[in-house]
Every structure is written in structure tokens, then in C-alpha cells.
Amino acid sequence: MEMSVNERIDEIVKGNDVVLFMKGSPLFPQCGFSSKAIAILDHLNVAYESVDVLQDMEIRAGIKDYSDWPTIPQLYVKGEFLGGSDIMMEMFEAGELQAIVDAEGLAKAG
């Protein structure tokens, strides 16, 4: 039986410590917000999984319902939705993202 889009997203979110749903890929982000999100994660030197919503229209629509958040990118850490690029930037500038990385013992990018 085929999984629903919600189940597919749930599996991705729960199967990876850090997941960024974005437009494009880390090497070729397709929007400024996704580019900013990648820059923050790279600066934190944290290992993460990325999902290109432009490659999967079901996930592109489904992720907005899943998180009840209208925009992409979306960052998840340990199964928890943290926010989009603006929230990521605020958390980064306040030192909160680094604190989460340290507290959760997240893997470093290698």
C-alpha cells in the first residue's frame, strides 16, 4: 500500500536528525530564502538532509499542511519544526541554533 504524503514527510522528518525542506539543492538553491537557510546550516557545520520540494509537488504542497507553515524552506531538528529562514536567522543571531546543535549532539558536516 502506498504511503500518504503526510506519512512520507513524517518518515523523512523522523528519520533524520536535521532536515531542510527547500527549493533546489544545497549546491543550487532555487530561492534566496533557501540559500540563506543553507548558509546558516553550513556555518553551524551540522550534517543535514535536504529535500527539494521542486522535485516533488506532493511534498511541496504537503509540507505546508504538515507543519501548518505557509512557506518554504522549513527546518526540522529531531522531528521538531523550528521554522523558516527568517526564524532560523533570528535563532542563529541569538545563539539559539548553536545551542540546539550542541544540546542535541548533532553530527557535524563531514
Side-chain angles (χ1 to χ4, degrees):
M1 193 173 126
E2 206 173 304
M3 286 195 290
S4 73
V5 67
N6 218 43
E7 289 169 328
R8 285 172 53 211
I9 292 169
D10 205 47
E11 197 169 78
I12 295 166
V13 166
K14 293 188 173 141
N16 298 280
D17 280 351
V18 183
V19 185
L20 183 69
F21 289 84
M22 62 178 293
K23 293 179 180 173
S25 69
L27 289 177
F28 297 105
Q30 298 294 310
C31 79
F33 297 111
S34 290
S35 183
K36 190 193 298 184
I38 292 295
I40 292 168
L41 291 173
D42 287 349
H43 189 80
L44 291 171
N45 192 34
V46 66
Y48 61 92
E49 192 63 41
S50 68
V51 178
D52 181 358
V53 299
L54 300 177
Q55 299 297 319
D56 190 325
M57 296 316 282
E58 267 192 349
I59 285 188
R60 185 177 184 177
I63 192 65
K64 295 175 184 182
D65 292 332
Y66 183 85
S67 61
D68 199 22
W69 189 260
T71 57
I72 293 162
Q74 294 186 10
L75 179 68
Y76 292 81
V77 174
K78 296 276 188 174
E80 186 181 340
F81 174 60
L82 292 189
S85 64
D86 290 348
I87 290 171
M88 284 176 70
M89 195 65 187
E90 287 170 19
M91 291 177 75
F92 176 71
E93 288 171 348
E96 293 170 24
L97 271 184
Q98 187 61 55
I100 290 169
V101 168
D102 294 343
E104 295 290 352
L106 299 173
K108 297 286 180 207

XYZ file of all heavy atoms in Angstrom:
844
model
N 0.846 -1.192 0.000
C 0.000 0.000 0.000
C 0.888 1.251 0.000
O 1.873 1.329 0.720
C -0.879 0.003 1.261
C -1.993 0.993 1.207
S -3.082 0.760 2.642
C -3.067 2.410 3.271
N 0.533 2.209 -0.819
C 1.339 3.415 -0.942
C 1.125 4.346 0.252
O 0.023 4.482 0.762
C 0.963 4.146 -2.235
C 2.096 4.998 -2.763
C 1.776 5.581 -4.124
O 1.462 4.811 -5.047
O 1.838 6.809 -4.245
N 2.225 4.943 0.687
C 2.145 5.867 1.814
C 1.509 7.179 1.374
O 1.707 7.621 0.246
C 3.548 6.175 2.353
C 4.170 5.063 3.146
S 5.603 5.633 4.105
C 6.793 5.943 2.839
N 0.800 7.805 2.301
C 0.273 9.142 2.030
C 1.433 10.128 2.056
O 2.505 9.829 2.590
C -0.767 9.531 3.081
O -0.117 9.811 4.311
N 1.205 11.311 1.511
C 2.271 12.325 1.514
C 2.645 12.693 2.946
O 3.813 12.897 3.267
C 1.887 13.561 0.674
C 0.741 14.330 1.313
C 3.087 14.485 0.489
N 1.665 12.716 3.829
C 1.927 13.026 5.243
C 2.830 11.966 5.883
O 3.742 12.292 6.631
C 0.602 13.138 5.999
C 0.640 14.255 7.026
O 1.131 15.340 6.752
N 0.137 13.969 8.211
N 2.565 10.696 5.550
C 3.388 9.601 6.076
C 4.808 9.677 5.515
O 5.777 9.434 6.234
C 2.763 8.250 5.724
C 1.494 7.947 6.487
C 0.742 6.735 5.955
O 0.782 6.473 4.729
O 0.102 6.052 6.767
N 4.923 10.035 4.227
C 6.251 10.170 3.609
C 7.047 11.280 4.291
O 8.225 11.108 4.604
C 6.112 10.472 2.110
C 5.705 9.269 1.279
C 5.394 9.624 -0.161
N 6.466 10.353 -0.813
C 6.274 11.263 -1.786
N 5.070 11.556 -2.204
N 7.312 11.886 -2.320
N 6.402 12.428 4.519
C 7.068 13.557 5.183
C 7.459 13.166 6.603
O 8.577 13.423 7.043
C 6.162 14.808 5.167
C 6.013 15.330 3.728
C 6.715 15.891 6.087
C 4.930 16.384 3.558
N 6.532 12.517 7.305
C 6.762 12.084 8.676
C 7.992 11.170 8.759
O 8.817 11.302 9.658
C 5.521 11.352 9.190
C 5.409 11.402 10.697
O 5.580 12.501 11.267
O 5.150 10.342 11.289
N 8.121 10.271 7.794
C 9.247 9.340 7.755
C 10.569 10.095 7.547
O 11.570 9.793 8.182
C 9.034 8.323 6.619
C 9.893 7.101 6.737
C 9.456 6.018 5.756
O 9.791 6.141 4.558
O 8.802 5.062 6.197
N 10.565 11.082 6.657
C 11.761 11.895 6.392
C 12.132 12.689 7.646
O 13.288 12.701 8.070
C 11.533 12.855 5.203
C 11.330 12.064 3.907
C 12.707 13.827 5.055
C 10.777 12.901 2.746
N 11.143 13.361 8.239
C 11.378 14.216 9.407
C 11.895 13.391 10.594
O 12.839 13.787 11.270
C 10.089 14.989 9.789
C 10.198 15.615 11.163
C 9.792 16.053 8.735
N 11.276 12.238 10.824
C 11.654 11.421 11.983
C 12.883 10.553 11.715
O 13.530 10.094 12.645
C 10.464 10.577 12.425
C 9.358 11.489 12.964
C 8.220 10.746 13.592
C 7.269 11.734 14.252
N 5.879 11.400 14.091
N 13.223 10.366 10.444
C 14.346 9.509 10.085
C 15.680 10.239 10.003
O 16.716 9.623 9.770
N 15.660 11.556 10.155
C 16.883 12.352 10.073
C 16.921 13.354 11.216
O 15.914 13.962 11.542
C 16.928 13.120 8.746
C 16.943 12.190 7.549
O 17.978 11.646 7.194
N 15.788 12.001 6.930
N 18.096 13.543 11.802
C 18.221 14.495 12.908
C 17.920 15.921 12.457
O 17.265 16.691 13.160
C 19.627 14.444 13.518
C 19.793 13.264 14.469
O 18.787 12.602 14.785
O 20.930 13.015 14.892
N 18.431 16.289 11.280
C 18.233 17.642 10.756
C 17.778 17.535 9.311
O 18.448 16.903 8.488
C 19.533 18.479 10.827
C 19.279 19.911 10.342
C 20.109 18.486 12.235
N 16.630 18.124 9.013
C 16.097 18.098 7.650
C 15.682 19.504 7.246
O 15.000 20.202 7.995
C 14.846 17.193 7.525
C 14.396 17.096 6.076
C 15.092 15.815 8.099
N 16.087 19.886 6.036
C 15.658 21.157 5.467
C 14.857 20.881 4.208
O 15.372 20.305 3.250
C 16.867 22.042 5.122
C 16.506 23.426 4.581
C 15.879 24.297 5.676
C 17.720 24.110 3.985
N 13.571 21.231 4.252
C 12.747 21.188 3.045
C 12.973 22.518 2.341
O 12.762 23.584 2.939
C 11.266 20.999 3.403
C 10.962 19.620 3.912
C 11.158 19.301 5.244
C 10.493 18.644 3.056
C 10.901 18.018 5.724
C 10.221 17.354 3.525
C 10.430 17.043 4.855
N 13.451 22.479 1.094
C 13.890 23.697 0.425
C 13.557 23.658 -1.064
O 13.146 22.626 -1.586
C 15.408 23.853 0.597
C 16.210 22.714 -0.032
S 18.003 22.924 0.125
C 18.284 24.352 -0.905
N 13.758 24.795 -1.702
C 13.622 24.873 -3.151
C 15.019 24.752 -3.749
O 15.874 25.590 -3.489
C 12.971 26.188 -3.569
C 11.521 26.289 -3.117
C 10.899 27.610 -3.508
C 9.441 27.656 -3.032
N 8.843 28.978 -3.231
N 15.233 23.663 -4.490
C 16.546 23.410 -5.050
C 17.342 22.491 -4.140
O 16.794 21.797 -3.286
N 18.670 22.499 -4.344
C 19.570 21.654 -3.568
C 20.587 22.539 -2.857
O 20.731 23.711 -3.199
C 20.295 20.694 -4.511
O 21.201 21.425 -5.328
N 21.310 21.972 -1.870
C 22.316 22.781 -1.184
C 23.337 23.411 -2.144
O 23.790 24.523 -1.910
C 22.983 21.782 -0.233
C 21.889 20.812 0.076
C 21.135 20.658 -1.224
N 23.679 22.704 -3.220
C 24.630 23.266 -4.184
C 23.988 24.299 -5.099
O 24.641 25.233 -5.551
C 25.254 22.151 -5.035
C 26.236 21.251 -4.293
C 26.743 20.142 -5.217
C 27.403 22.054 -3.760
N 22.697 24.099 -5.386
C 21.985 25.013 -6.271
C 20.629 25.414 -5.709
O 19.592 24.991 -6.211
C 21.802 24.383 -7.666
C 23.087 24.097 -8.372
C 23.566 22.804 -8.467
C 23.826 25.124 -8.937
C 24.766 22.539 -9.104
C 25.017 24.866 -9.587
C 25.496 23.571 -9.666
N 20.627 26.213 -4.637
C 19.336 26.662 -4.087
C 18.590 27.485 -5.134
O 19.207 28.250 -5.873
C 19.727 27.507 -2.882
C 21.203 27.590 -2.847
C 21.776 26.750 -3.937
N 17.272 27.309 -5.182
C 16.466 27.953 -6.207
C 15.716 29.186 -5.699
O 14.884 29.723 -6.410
C 15.468 26.952 -6.798
C 16.131 25.772 -7.477
C 16.902 26.166 -8.724
O 16.386 26.857 -9.593
N 18.159 25.742 -8.810
N 16.000 29.607 -4.476
C 15.434 30.866 -3.987
C 16.340 31.428 -2.904
O 17.119 30.693 -2.289
C 13.998 30.688 -3.482
S 13.835 29.985 -1.844
N 16.257 32.719 -2.677
C 17.113 33.387 -1.709
C 16.931 32.882 -0.289
O 17.897 32.789 0.471
N 15.694 32.541 0.065
C 15.421 32.066 1.418
C 16.066 30.709 1.660
O 16.646 30.460 2.711
C 13.912 32.005 1.685
C 13.257 33.349 1.617
C 12.386 33.663 0.581
C 13.512 34.326 2.575
C 11.787 34.910 0.505
C 12.911 35.575 2.503
C 12.051 35.868 1.472
N 15.982 29.831 0.648
C 16.627 28.517 0.765
C 18.142 28.694 0.835
O 18.831 28.021 1.604
C 16.250 27.622 -0.429
O 14.892 27.245 -0.356
N 18.667 29.632 0.060
C 20.093 29.912 0.049
C 20.562 30.382 1.434
O 21.610 29.954 1.937
C 20.395 30.974 -1.010
O 21.767 31.224 -1.091
N 19.759 31.259 2.056
C 20.084 31.769 3.400
C 20.053 30.632 4.427
O 20.932 30.544 5.280
C 19.067 32.853 3.796
C 19.459 33.611 5.064
C 18.341 34.461 5.644
C 17.856 35.560 4.744
N 16.845 36.411 5.406
N 19.064 29.751 4.309
C 18.944 28.623 5.239
C 20.164 27.700 5.133
O 20.713 27.270 6.155
C 17.654 27.846 4.970
N 20.605 27.422 3.914
C 21.787 26.584 3.679
C 23.023 27.245 4.282
O 23.844 26.588 4.925
C 22.001 26.353 2.164
C 20.886 25.479 1.594
C 23.371 25.735 1.880
C 20.829 24.088 2.114
N 23.161 28.549 4.074
C 24.318 29.281 4.598
C 24.386 29.161 6.125
O 25.466 28.970 6.696
C 24.260 30.749 4.179
N 23.238 29.250 6.785
C 23.194 29.135 8.250
C 23.611 27.727 8.680
O 24.451 27.569 9.565
C 21.782 29.479 8.782
C 21.491 30.967 8.567
C 21.643 29.103 10.262
C 20.034 31.354 8.788
N 23.035 26.707 8.038
C 23.376 25.325 8.403
C 24.848 25.033 8.137
O 25.514 24.376 8.933
C 22.479 24.337 7.643
C 21.007 24.328 8.065
C 20.198 23.449 7.134
C 20.854 23.886 9.507
N 25.366 25.541 7.009
C 26.782 25.335 6.692
C 27.669 26.024 7.725
O 28.691 25.489 8.144
C 27.107 25.835 5.277
C 26.538 24.913 4.196
O 26.083 23.797 4.527
O 26.548 25.310 3.023
N 27.257 27.217 8.149
C 28.026 27.960 9.148
C 28.059 27.203 10.482
O 29.066 27.217 11.188
C 27.447 29.367 9.343
C 28.307 30.245 10.188
N 29.411 30.885 9.686
C 28.251 30.551 11.504
C 29.988 31.571 10.664
N 29.301 31.377 11.785
N 26.956 26.548 10.807
C 26.880 25.758 12.039
C 27.656 24.444 11.904
O 27.863 23.749 12.896
C 25.416 25.448 12.389
C 24.563 26.637 12.819
C 23.101 26.226 12.907
C 25.046 27.205 14.145
N 28.052 24.116 10.663
C 28.802 22.892 10.373
C 28.061 21.648 10.862
O 28.639 20.748 11.466
C 30.203 22.963 10.988
C 31.094 21.849 10.462
O 30.976 21.447 9.313
N 31.964 21.330 11.308
N 26.754 21.618 10.608
C 25.926 20.500 11.054
C 25.553 19.644 9.831
O 25.336 20.174 8.746
C 24.663 21.008 11.798
C 23.730 21.768 10.884
C 23.932 19.878 12.474
N 25.534 18.332 10.036
C 25.108 17.425 8.965
C 23.589 17.506 8.852
O 22.881 17.511 9.858
C 25.539 15.999 9.296
N 23.091 17.596 7.630
C 21.640 17.673 7.442
C 21.224 17.002 6.146
O 22.017 16.837 5.229
C 21.153 19.132 7.449
C 21.744 19.982 6.339
C 21.086 20.121 5.120
C 22.950 20.651 6.520
C 21.631 20.888 4.101
C 23.495 21.421 5.512
C 22.836 21.530 4.301
O 23.373 22.280 3.296
N 19.966 16.636 6.113
C 19.343 16.085 4.918
C 18.547 17.212 4.282
O 17.950 18.024 4.980
C 18.406 14.944 5.341
C 17.898 14.092 4.226
C 18.994 13.344 3.477
O 19.934 12.819 4.116
O 18.905 13.304 2.245
N 18.559 17.284 2.954
C 17.732 18.295 2.299
C 16.739 17.603 1.375
O 17.029 16.540 0.824
C 18.588 19.282 1.503
O 19.180 18.645 0.391
N 15.564 18.203 1.249
C 14.523 17.698 0.360
C 14.144 18.830 -0.582
O 13.728 19.904 -0.135
C 13.280 17.230 1.156
C 12.181 16.759 0.209
C 13.658 16.132 2.151
N 14.322 18.593 -1.883
C 13.993 19.593 -2.902
C 12.507 19.490 -3.237
O 12.086 18.564 -3.917
C 14.841 19.358 -4.157
C 14.572 20.376 -5.255
O 13.698 21.255 -5.071
O 15.228 20.288 -6.302
N 11.731 20.443 -2.736
C 10.276 20.392 -2.935
C 9.897 20.636 -4.402
O 8.795 20.307 -4.813
C 9.523 21.389 -2.022
C 9.777 21.063 -0.553
C 9.879 22.824 -2.347
N 10.815 21.206 -5.195
C 10.520 21.446 -6.606
C 10.505 20.134 -7.394
O 9.932 20.070 -8.480
C 11.556 22.409 -7.219
C 11.630 23.792 -6.571
C 12.731 24.625 -7.220
C 10.300 24.515 -6.668
N 11.120 19.096 -6.828
C 11.153 17.787 -7.489
C 9.932 16.932 -7.152
O 9.742 15.879 -7.750
C 12.423 17.019 -7.082
C 13.715 17.698 -7.458
C 13.882 17.857 -8.959
O 13.560 16.959 -9.727
N 14.354 19.020 -9.376
N 9.138 17.364 -6.189
C 8.005 16.550 -5.738
C 6.855 17.469 -5.321
O 6.841 18.009 -4.230
C 8.455 15.673 -4.557
C 7.423 14.622 -4.178
O 6.198 14.903 -4.288
O 7.834 13.531 -3.756
N 5.899 17.639 -6.214
C 4.801 18.577 -5.970
C 3.932 18.144 -4.786
O 3.380 18.986 -4.095
C 3.939 18.745 -7.231
C 4.700 19.383 -8.400
S 5.728 20.815 -7.968
C 4.485 22.083 -7.829
N 3.811 16.825 -4.579
C 3.036 16.343 -3.425
C 3.666 16.821 -2.125
O 2.980 17.286 -1.228
C 2.985 14.807 -3.427
C 1.787 14.229 -4.115
C 1.639 12.739 -3.822
O 2.565 12.102 -3.268
O 0.574 12.204 -4.157
N 4.978 16.672 -2.020
C 5.671 17.105 -0.797
C 5.633 18.621 -0.691
O 5.450 19.172 0.388
C 7.115 16.548 -0.751
C 7.041 15.062 -0.406
C 7.973 17.318 0.253
C 8.342 14.375 -0.130
N 5.767 19.308 -1.841
C 5.748 20.777 -1.822
C 4.448 21.292 -1.210
O 4.453 22.228 -0.402
C 5.915 21.324 -3.243
C 6.017 22.833 -3.267
C 6.264 23.337 -4.667
N 6.454 24.781 -4.660
C 6.746 25.481 -5.734
N 6.885 24.887 -6.903
N 6.895 26.776 -5.649
N 3.333 20.684 -1.571
C 2.037 21.086 -1.006
C 1.861 20.504 0.395
O 1.395 21.182 1.307
C 0.906 20.621 -1.924
N 2.258 19.246 0.571
C 2.022 18.530 1.818
C 2.794 19.077 3.002
O 2.302 19.055 4.131
N 4.006 19.581 2.753
C 4.834 20.056 3.864
C 4.205 21.266 4.542
O 4.329 21.453 5.748
C 6.295 20.370 3.418
C 7.218 20.569 4.620
C 6.358 21.569 2.487
C 7.423 19.356 5.471
N 3.463 22.059 3.775
C 2.815 23.246 4.346
C 1.687 22.851 5.300
O 1.456 23.509 6.310
C 2.304 24.154 3.232
C 3.455 24.718 2.402
C 2.965 25.527 1.211
C 4.141 25.989 0.369
N 3.713 26.800 -0.763
N 1.004 21.753 4.962
C -0.040 21.238 5.854
C 0.589 20.548 7.063
O 0.116 20.688 8.191
C -0.930 20.227 5.117
C -1.771 20.903 4.037
O -2.075 22.104 4.184
O -2.117 20.225 3.056
N 1.651 19.813 6.795
C 2.329 19.037 7.849
C 2.769 19.946 8.997
O 2.587 19.634 10.160
C 3.524 18.302 7.242
C 4.263 17.408 8.193
C 3.843 16.101 8.415
C 5.407 17.853 8.862
C 4.525 15.259 9.284
C 6.095 17.019 9.736
C 5.651 15.736 9.943
O 6.320 14.911 10.802
N 3.350 21.085 8.638
C 3.889 21.989 9.654
C 2.914 23.091 10.035
O 3.135 23.803 11.001
C 5.155 22.659 9.124
O 4.835 23.418 7.965
N 1.851 23.235 9.214
C 0.937 24.371 9.360
C 1.733 25.676 9.210
O 1.529 26.637 9.953
C 0.190 24.308 10.699
C -1.067 25.172 10.672
O -1.565 25.458 9.573
O -1.546 25.563 11.752
N 2.657 25.673 8.252
C 3.517 26.828 7.977
C 3.448 27.078 6.475
O 3.664 26.164 5.693
C 4.940 26.508 8.426
C 5.883 27.667 8.410
C 6.809 27.948 7.447
C 6.003 28.700 9.383
N 7.506 29.087 7.774
C 7.020 29.565 8.955
C 5.334 28.981 10.577
C 7.408 30.693 9.679
C 5.723 30.092 11.289
C 6.740 30.941 10.851
N 3.179 28.318 6.036
C 2.856 28.558 4.626
C 4.042 28.643 3.664
O 3.842 28.625 2.461
C 2.133 29.900 4.668
C 2.730 30.596 5.855
C 3.010 29.505 6.862
N 5.264 28.737 4.193
C 6.383 28.992 3.286
C 7.471 27.923 3.373
O 7.534 27.138 4.320
C 7.029 30.362 3.589
O 7.444 30.385 4.954
C 6.049 31.499 3.331
N 8.307 27.925 2.363
C 9.459 27.036 2.273
C 10.663 27.952 2.115
O 10.564 28.943 1.396
C 9.301 26.095 1.056
C 8.133 25.138 1.320
C 10.577 25.329 0.743
C 7.596 24.464 0.100
N 11.792 27.715 2.759
C 12.214 26.475 3.405
C 11.623 26.254 4.799
O 11.090 27.171 5.402
C 13.742 26.653 3.514
C 13.930 28.135 3.610
C 12.859 28.720 2.746
N 11.755 25.005 5.240
C 11.326 24.625 6.579
C 12.402 23.742 7.195
O 12.851 22.786 6.569
C 10.008 23.842 6.532
C 8.841 24.676 6.060
C 7.525 23.943 6.165
O 7.430 22.870 6.747
N 6.499 24.520 5.583
N 12.782 24.064 8.427
C 13.820 23.315 9.123
C 13.223 22.482 10.250
O 12.430 22.983 11.040
C 14.864 24.276 9.706
C 15.998 23.626 10.495
C 16.909 22.797 9.598
C 16.808 24.677 11.244
N 13.646 21.212 10.291
C 13.247 20.297 11.356
C 14.497 19.776 12.040
O 15.461 19.401 11.374
C 12.462 19.103 10.796
C 11.112 19.490 10.261
C 10.976 20.033 8.987
C 9.965 19.326 11.025
C 9.736 20.413 8.491
C 8.720 19.695 10.544
C 8.617 20.233 9.273
O 7.392 20.612 8.796
N 14.483 19.767 13.380
C 15.579 19.188 14.153
C 14.975 18.177 15.120
O 14.085 18.517 15.896
C 16.368 20.271 14.918
C 17.417 19.626 15.821
C 17.029 21.250 13.950
N 15.463 16.949 15.033
C 14.988 15.858 15.908
C 13.458 15.746 15.866
O 12.801 15.604 16.892
C 15.458 16.066 17.347
C 16.961 16.010 17.521
C 17.457 14.595 17.665
C 18.932 14.572 18.021
N 19.405 13.217 18.295
N 12.894 15.875 14.655
C 11.459 15.699 14.482
C 10.621 16.919 14.802
O 9.409 16.904 14.645
N 11.268 17.984 15.249
C 10.530 19.181 15.649
C 10.708 20.295 14.621
O 11.824 20.603 14.209
C 11.041 19.660 17.013
C 10.237 20.806 17.590
C 10.787 21.275 18.937
O 11.513 20.517 19.589
O 10.492 22.425 19.306
N 9.592 20.910 14.227
C 9.632 22.020 13.280
C 10.153 23.270 13.980
O 9.637 23.669 15.010
C 8.222 22.277 12.731
C 8.122 23.488 11.849
C 8.870 23.585 10.690
C 7.284 24.541 12.183
C 8.777 24.710 9.868
C 7.183 25.662 11.379
C 7.932 25.739 10.218
N 11.226 23.848 13.437
C 11.781 25.066 14.039
C 11.299 26.328 13.338
O 11.081 27.338 13.975
C 13.314 25.043 14.022
C 13.989 24.021 14.928
C 15.482 24.262 14.961
C 13.428 24.043 16.328
N 11.186 26.287 12.008
C 10.716 27.469 11.290
C 11.335 27.598 9.915
O 12.016 26.694 9.434
N 11.106 28.751 9.314
C 11.647 29.064 8.003
C 12.921 29.872 8.126
O 13.492 30.006 9.218
N 13.373 30.456 7.029
C 14.680 31.116 7.030
C 14.740 32.341 7.949
O 15.771 32.589 8.572
C 15.111 31.484 5.608
O 14.238 32.424 5.049
N 13.653 33.095 8.059
C 13.668 34.272 8.944
C 13.829 33.857 10.410
O 14.607 34.451 11.157
C 12.393 35.107 8.791
C 12.332 35.817 7.443
O 13.364 35.835 6.734
O 11.262 36.344 7.105
N 13.086 32.830 10.812
C 13.183 32.329 12.185
C 14.563 31.722 12.412
O 15.172 31.932 13.461
C 12.051 31.310 12.481
C 10.712 32.061 12.543
C 12.319 30.555 13.784
C 9.500 31.186 12.617
N 15.056 30.990 11.405
C 16.407 30.419 11.514
C 17.434 31.532 11.742
O 18.313 31.400 12.578
C 16.776 29.653 10.240
C 16.115 28.301 10.101
S 16.521 27.533 8.505
C 18.273 27.149 8.725
N 17.302 32.633 11.007
C 18.245 33.744 11.121
C 18.169 34.361 12.520
O 19.201 34.626 13.139
C 17.946 34.802 10.046
C 19.059 35.784 9.853
S 20.518 34.925 9.221
C 21.703 36.212 9.268
N 16.957 34.578 13.017
C 16.786 35.141 14.357
C 17.396 34.221 15.411
O 18.090 34.678 16.326
C 15.297 35.345 14.659
C 14.669 36.504 13.897
C 13.149 36.529 14.014
O 12.594 35.902 14.950
O 12.513 37.169 13.160
N 17.131 32.922 15.291
C 17.656 31.948 16.253
C 19.184 31.873 16.168
O 19.866 31.747 17.175
C 17.042 30.566 16.010
C 15.567 30.486 16.360
S 14.880 28.850 15.981
C 15.560 27.883 17.333
N 19.693 31.965 14.935
C 21.141 31.919 14.721
C 21.816 33.132 15.364
O 22.790 33.003 16.098
C 21.437 31.870 13.218
C 22.908 31.926 12.889
C 23.724 30.848 13.157
C 23.453 33.053 12.312
C 25.084 30.891 12.855
C 24.803 33.115 12.006
C 25.617 32.024 12.288
N 21.251 34.307 15.099
C 21.830 35.542 15.637
C 21.760 35.582 17.158
O 22.626 36.168 17.810
C 21.138 36.769 15.019
C 21.530 36.973 13.568
C 20.703 38.042 12.853
O 19.670 38.484 13.411
O 21.095 38.409 11.745
N 20.746 34.957 17.730
C 20.594 34.925 19.186
C 21.419 33.804 19.833
O 21.451 33.680 21.055
C 19.112 34.749 19.542
N 22.056 32.976 18.997
C 22.845 31.860 19.515
C 22.019 30.629 19.848
O 22.533 29.641 20.361
N 20.722 30.699 19.556
C 19.830 29.587 19.920
C 20.058 28.354 19.053
O 19.985 27.228 19.549
C 18.364 30.026 19.809
C 17.969 31.074 20.843
C 16.589 31.680 20.555
O 15.770 31.027 19.890
O 16.355 32.817 20.989
N 20.308 28.553 17.759
C 20.522 27.398 16.885
C 21.784 26.646 17.290
O 21.787 25.416 17.337
C 20.624 27.826 15.415
C 19.326 27.885 14.618
C 19.603 28.236 13.171
C 18.544 26.591 14.692
N 22.846 27.384 17.567
C 24.089 26.743 18.006
C 23.855 25.968 19.302
O 24.362 24.864 19.473
C 25.191 27.787 18.214
C 26.557 27.192 18.507
C 27.083 26.315 17.373
O 27.167 26.762 16.237
N 27.409 25.066 17.691
N 23.069 26.532 20.206
C 22.763 25.864 21.467
C 22.011 24.554 21.218
O 22.288 23.539 21.870
C 21.938 26.791 22.362
N 21.081 24.556 20.271
C 20.333 23.341 19.926
C 21.277 22.291 19.346
O 21.231 21.128 19.716
C 19.188 23.658 18.930
C 18.089 24.470 19.644
C 18.610 22.373 18.338
C 17.051 25.065 18.715
N 22.146 22.718 18.426
C 23.126 21.811 17.819
C 23.969 21.149 18.906
O 24.163 19.933 18.903
C 24.020 22.563 16.801
C 25.221 21.724 16.392
C 23.216 22.973 15.577
N 24.447 21.949 19.845
C 25.280 21.430 20.923
C 24.485 20.526 21.874
O 24.937 19.442 22.228
C 25.918 22.584 21.724
C 26.908 23.389 20.875
O 27.337 22.894 19.808
O 27.232 24.516 21.277
N 23.306 20.991 22.281
C 22.489 20.251 23.244
C 22.037 18.899 22.690
O 21.990 17.911 23.414
C 21.269 21.080 23.653
N 21.717 18.874 21.392
C 21.216 17.634 20.779
C 22.362 16.731 20.341
O 22.132 15.611 19.888
C 20.320 17.953 19.573
C 19.029 18.684 19.924
C 18.034 17.828 20.665
O 18.242 16.606 20.808
O 17.009 18.377 21.115
N 23.596 17.226 20.415
C 24.740 16.425 19.990
C 24.657 16.047 18.521
O 24.935 14.914 18.137
N 24.226 16.985 17.700
C 24.019 16.695 16.275
C 25.356 16.462 15.562
O 26.373 17.078 15.894
C 23.282 17.871 15.613
C 21.900 18.156 16.195
C 21.320 19.433 15.600
C 20.952 16.993 15.966
N 25.308 15.576 14.574
C 26.511 15.225 13.806
C 27.017 16.429 13.035
O 26.223 17.236 12.530
C 26.185 14.087 12.845
N 28.334 16.536 12.974
C 28.961 17.614 12.212
C 28.989 17.240 10.733
O 29.050 16.063 10.383
C 30.399 17.859 12.700
C 30.494 18.314 14.142
C 30.058 19.746 14.268
C 30.145 20.247 15.701
N 29.209 21.297 15.976
N 28.958 18.255 9.885
C 29.088 18.015 8.450
C 30.492 17.482 8.210
O 31.444 17.935 8.825
C 28.847 19.313 7.677
N 30.607 16.505 7.294
C 31.899 15.911 7.191
C 32.472 15.978 5.836
O 33.495 15.599 5.471
